[in-house]
Amino acid sequence: MSQTLSVSTLLAVPLLPLVGAVLAGVFGTVLGGNWVGRRLSHTLTILAVLAAFILSAMTLKSVAMDGARFNETLYTWMVVGGLKMEVGFLIDGLSAMMMCVVTFVSLMVHIYTVGYMEEDEGYNRFFGYISLFTFAMLMLVMSNNMLQLFFGWEAVGLVSYLLIGFYYNKPSATHANMKAFLVNRVGDFGFILGIGLIAAYAGTLNYGEAFAKGDELAKLILPGTSWMLITVICICLFIGAMGKSAQFPLHVWLPDSMEGPTPISALIHAATMVTAGIFMVARMSPLFELSDTALSFIMIIGGITALFMGFLGIIQNDIKRVVAYSTLSQLGYMTVALGASAYSVAIFHLMTHAFFKALLFLAAGSVIMGMHHIQDIRWMGGVRKYMPITWITFLLGSLALIGTPLFSGFYSKDSIIEAVHESNLTGAGFAYFAVLAGVFITAFYSFRLYFLVFHGKERYDQNPDAHHDDKHGGHGEKHDDPHKPHESPWVVTVPLVLLAIPSVVIGFITIQPMLFGDFFKSVITVNLEKHPAMEELAKLFQGPVQMALHGFTAAPFWLALAGVVAAWYMYMRNPALPAAIKSKCEPLYALLENKYYLDWFNENVLARGARALGMGLWKFGDQKLIDGALVNGSWKLVGWVSSMVRRLQSGFIYHYAFGMILGVFVLMTYFVWLNR
């Protein structure tokens, strides 16, 4: 164990945001007496997250440059039958990188929030929530055992519930946060089953100890079935990831999470909650490598999500929802990479995606502010000349998202596509088609958004709802009359610029060590004999420059270019064409508009069925069967028997004598005549 990583430093990383959350969320609200003002609240929370980021960066430097490692239990909570429940940290390349990504994106969101939530009544409460979110995510990525992992897992779910429903007086917000909470409970049920099976058969919750028993687990059969135990464990764990990382069909909560303020959209979608599932599968790679069935399942689910969620982004008109559906699609890409055993590529895309997706969300929020809370892209246009910083940063984020050569997204997306192409597992063919088609779709809806917002005719004065307050309003700003857009204040634009830098260069800088170097050595396990994708990628890689040059001639680049050109032609040159296509394809449009009717199915079949079952169990099972038949029926039966029996107790001796004579007669009749 390296001496360069001190326990106190590592403890400070998650605890600093927690302290900030307590100061702002408790002492800055009515709950704690409101003695912390707005300025002090954002100052304390920003400084706390800044310090956590600096410490995380120092930790990453020690891990990457000096080979430092840390794996130690800090506190034993309890021991139950030999099963230890502990709090501890595991710091290696994977967790150190995640610590930096989480704290940096969180820091940008904190600074951005100062401008976006300036006039909101829940200002201090919001800072408390996002700092608490940061603490929860750090505890998740730094854990060395499944108990602490589950704590962080549920904590980010809880805080996301609070953030999505931040405007608790809005019915749509309360519906959205309840939807997110319930859908994630479905996934978390599978997750806890997977952890429970590991605890039951491996006898430990510690990562290292569980992974060491992987070969033993791979030989076992789930009792009462013919299923391999390791396959069941991995699928159960991945069901948890399906909920948290919004994979089909548990993705339905993510678009509705836009009901919360824009900064939390960036936080949830970029570096925290939705990436937790990807991180977990990568961390559990020694177990997932033992089950080809589970990997195929993961790859197919990821392919479905990458392709079909992209289609939904094409028809969205809310600026935040377009970016949200792009998140769903990109999460599908990461999941496909996990299924192809390219865990390092999935984490690489997680990192690059965190920067440019946070950039896109925050830039979308900046547009909303500059447009006086208009969110419908149909009422924008020509914004670039009024908001130059927002425009250029949004463009850079979009170029990174579609995988433009030399941009960060190019290196990670193209690596995923190549890894899937080299995979030999069942479902790899479909997944390859899905991610390749997704390139065109992503480019199309991304630049549809870009062109409609920043180019073309100015339409902001044509909005029929321009006089209304923002229904998703972040900072309560009101405007009596529509007027020209304006650039956002520096607290909003500075985070955009700082996020734009890694969105452009981070892929170029880090692809060599993260994918083909020793950065994830002894962290991620891959059986290269059975899953040769990463080995084949290493053979093809000749450096980031050569990869970019080759990228200009590869199919993904031309598909992305085709998507950009198609968006430009349909929305800039021939704006009547989309309406004509819509009129010709009404059934298809209705299918996409209703999000494949999954919400309808969940609400009218699953939810209504569950309510009907609950009502039946309540009305018949509880009230009639248990209360009526068993409880009330038993005392009524006893009462009736008692009422009949007491008639025999008259108190007259001749009645008892008669009964005795009658009894003797019956017995004699039975034994003498009937029982010969």
Side-chain angles (χ1 to χ4, degrees):
M1 187 179 303
S2 174
Q3 299 300 314
T4 58
L5 298 179
S6 70
V7 176
S8 57
T9 300
L10 295 177
L11 274 172
V13 174
L15 291 182
L16 281 169
L18 179 62
V19 171
V22 171
L23 291 174
V26 177
F27 299 107
T29 61
V30 176
L31 179 65
N34 266 328
W35 67 269
V36 173
R38 289 185 170 223
R39 180 170 293 184
L40 184 59
S41 177
H42 72 236
T43 302
L44 290 173
T45 52
I46 290 173
L47 288 176
V49 176
L50 174 62
F53 169 64
I54 293 170
L55 294 175
S56 298
M58 293 168 57
T59 302
L60 179 61
K61 179 181 177 296
S62 298
V63 170
M65 301 296 182
D66 307 327
R69 294 291 187 271
F70 186 93
N71 186 7
E72 190 174 308
T73 297
L74 304 181
Y75 173 69
T76 300
W77 180 34
M78 67 172 83
V79 180
V80 181
L83 183 66
K84 295 181 180 178
M85 300 186 182
E86 303 168 329
V87 177
F89 292 153
L90 169 60
I91 306 301
D92 50 25
L94 178 58
S95 52
M97 184 276 294
M98 289 294 296
M99 287 163 62
C100 285
V101 171
V102 168
T103 51
F104 179 75
V105 173
S106 177
L107 177 62
M108 297 300 102
V109 170
H110 275 71
I111 297 171
Y112 180 95
T113 299
V114 174
Y116 194 86
M117 302 289 289
E118 183 181 4
E119 299 179 17
D120 197 283
E121 293 180 359
Y123 188 85
N124 289 357
R125 177 165 58 94
F126 189 82
F127 273 99
Y129 286 169
I130 58 177
S131 291
L132 187 61
F133 208 151
T134 308
F135 158 75
M137 193 63 191
L138 287 169
M139 290 297 289
L140 189 155
V141 301
M142 295 173 69
S143 63
N144 73 341
N145 63 85
M146 283 165 263
L147 178 68
Q148 189 174 327
L149 173 72
F150 190 73
F151 164 76
W153 192 272
E154 294 301 314
V156 293
L158 171 63
V159 186
S160 70
Y161 170 83
L162 297 173
L163 284 167
I164 295 168
F166 183 78
Y167 300 117
Y168 50 81
N169 291 322
K170 281 175 56 182
S172 58
T174 56
H175 179 268
N177 73 348
M178 185 58 69
K179 185 177 181 178
F181 192 80
L182 293 176
V183 172
N184 272 276
R185 297 292 73 72
V186 175
D188 292 351
F189 180 68
F191 188 51
I192 196 70
L193 285 178
I195 293 175
L197 287 171
I198 293 173
Y201 287 92
T204 182
L205 292 172
N206 184 273
Y207 291 153
E209 295 173 1
F211 299 160
K213 296 185 178 182
D215 291 334
E216 298 178 23
L217 296 175
K219 299 175 183 176
L220 300 176
I221 304 292
L222 186 69
T225 70
S226 58
W227 303 337
M228 298 298 296
L229 178 65
I230 192 68
T231 298
V232 176
I233 289 174
C234 291
I235 289 178
C236 284
L237 291 174
F238 180 67
I239 289 172
M242 288 169 65
K244 200 66 69 183
S245 292
Q247 296 297 293
F248 177 90
L250 300 181
H251 67 278
V252 293
W253 67 270
L254 195 59
D256 290 347
S257 67
M258 299 297 100
E259 289 293 335
T262 299
I264 69 102
S265 301
L267 201 57
I268 291 177
H269 287 224
T272 52
M273 186 171 173
V274 296
T275 60
I278 309 299
F279 166 82
M280 181 272 295
V281 176
R283 176 62 81 193
M284 300 285 185
S285 61
L287 297 181
F288 281 88
E289 279 299 286
L290 299 170
S291 175
D292 284 1
T293 304
L295 291 175
S296 288
F297 177 73
I298 292 171
M299 192 183 298
I300 292 169
I301 292 294
I304 293 171
T305 307
L307 181 61
F308 291 97
M309 296 306 108
F311 286 135
L312 296 181
I314 295 174
I315 66 160
Q316 300 299 317
N317 294 313
D318 185 300
I319 186 172
K320 289 166 62 176
R321 285 184 179 267
V322 178
V323 185
Y325 278 106
S326 82
T327 298
L328 282 172
S329 182
Q330 297 308 304
L331 286 168
Y333 275 81
M334 300 176 206
T335 304
V336 165
L338 295 173
S341 292
Y343 305 99
S344 56
V345 179
I347 295 298
F348 183 45
H349 192 52
L350 184 159
M351 178 191 70
T352 61
H353 175 266
F355 296 119
F356 62 73
K357 187 50 57 72
L359 169 61
L360 288 172
F361 267 114
L362 297 186
S366 178
V367 171
I368 294 170
M369 291 178 64
M371 296 291 296
H372 313 298
H373 301 294
I374 298 173
Q375 292 189 201
D376 194 323
I377 59 178
R378 293 171 295 183
W379 307 115
M380 298 183 184
V383 175
R384 64 186 176 93
K385 63 182 179 182
Y386 302 106
M387 307 180 70
I389 299 175
T390 302
W391 163 60
I392 194 66
T393 53
F394 193 98
L395 176 60
L396 293 173
S398 299
L399 290 171
L401 171 62
I402 69 171
T404 308
L406 292 173
F407 285 75
S408 62
F410 161 76
Y411 293 101
S412 53
K413 283 184 74 173
D414 268 40
S415 298
I416 291 174
I417 294 169
E418 287 299 322
V420 178
H421 182 62
E422 299 296 339
S423 177
N424 52 19
L425 292 178
T426 303
F430 164 74
Y432 181 67
F433 166 76
V435 295
L436 207 55
V439 173
F440 173 83
I441 297 166
T442 301
F444 180 81
Y445 66 66
S446 297
F447 274 82
R448 168 183 176 265
L449 171 65
Y450 170 77
F451 288 130
L452 285 175
V453 173
F454 294 102
H455 294 271
K457 294 181 179 180
E458 298 175 3
R459 299 179 297 275
Y460 55 86
D461 56 347
Q462 303 172 21
N463 182 14
D465 299 321
H467 294 273
H468 298 171
D469 296 338
D470 172 38
K471 74 174 185 175
H472 297 283
H475 48 83
E477 190 178 352
K478 297 180 176 66
H479 299 271
D480 296 327
D481 297 300
H483 51 275
K484 292 181 179 180
H486 59 82
E487 186 62 274
S488 301
W490 71 267
V491 288
V492 171
T493 56
V494 167
L496 299 184
V497 174
L498 293 177
L499 284 166
I501 297 170
S503 298
V504 177
V505 304
I506 196 71
F508 183 94
I509 297 170
T510 60
I511 184 171
Q512 173 71 48
M514 289 188 70
L515 299 193
F516 310 108
D518 295 332
F519 190 76
F520 289 131
K521 187 178 180 182
S522 72
V523 179
I524 289 171
T525 301
V526 181
N527 186 342
L528 294 175
E529 292 183 4
K530 294 175 65 178
H531 311 131
M534 290 305 299
E535 192 174 44
E536 295 300 322
L537 280 184
K539 293 177 182 177
L540 297 172
F541 184 73
Q542 297 178 344
V545 176
Q546 190 63 34
M547 183 176 176
L549 293 174
H550 178 266
F552 284 109
T553 64
F557 171 74
W558 293 106
L559 285 168
L561 183 61
V564 174
V565 172
W568 171 80
Y569 178 77
M570 291 176 66
Y571 294 96
M572 293 289 101
R573 296 287 295 178
N574 191 4
L577 183 57
I581 295 174
K582 178 184 175 182
S583 64
K584 298 289 185 183
C585 305
E586 278 293 344
L588 179 60
Y589 185 85
L591 180 67
L592 297 177
E593 183 71 21
N594 288 281
K595 296 175 283 189
Y596 306 116
Y597 294 96
L598 286 173
D599 281 335
W600 179 91
F601 178 81
N602 290 336
E603 292 174 10
N604 292 279
V605 178
L606 296 182
R608 185 171 292 181
R611 287 197 301 269
L613 178 63
M615 187 67 71
L617 291 173
W618 170 39
K619 292 290 186 181
F620 176 77
D622 185 37
Q623 292 187 345
K624 293 186 177 181
L625 186 61
I626 297 175
D627 288 345
L630 296 180
V631 177
N632 294 334
S634 62
W635 71 258
K636 288 179 180 179
L637 178 63
V638 170
W640 180 82
V641 172
S642 301
S643 67
M644 300 305 295
V645 170
R646 78 168 178 250
R647 297 177 185 274
L648 301 176
Q649 300 293 330
S650 64
F652 295 108
I653 293 178
Y654 58 84
H655 285 169
Y656 302 146
F658 176 76
M660 294 171 63
I661 294 170
L662 185 62
V664 171
F665 176 76
V666 171
L667 290 173
M668 290 180 64
T669 302
Y670 175 77
F671 285 109
V672 176
W673 298 101
L674 301 178
N675 195 29
R676 292 180 177 180

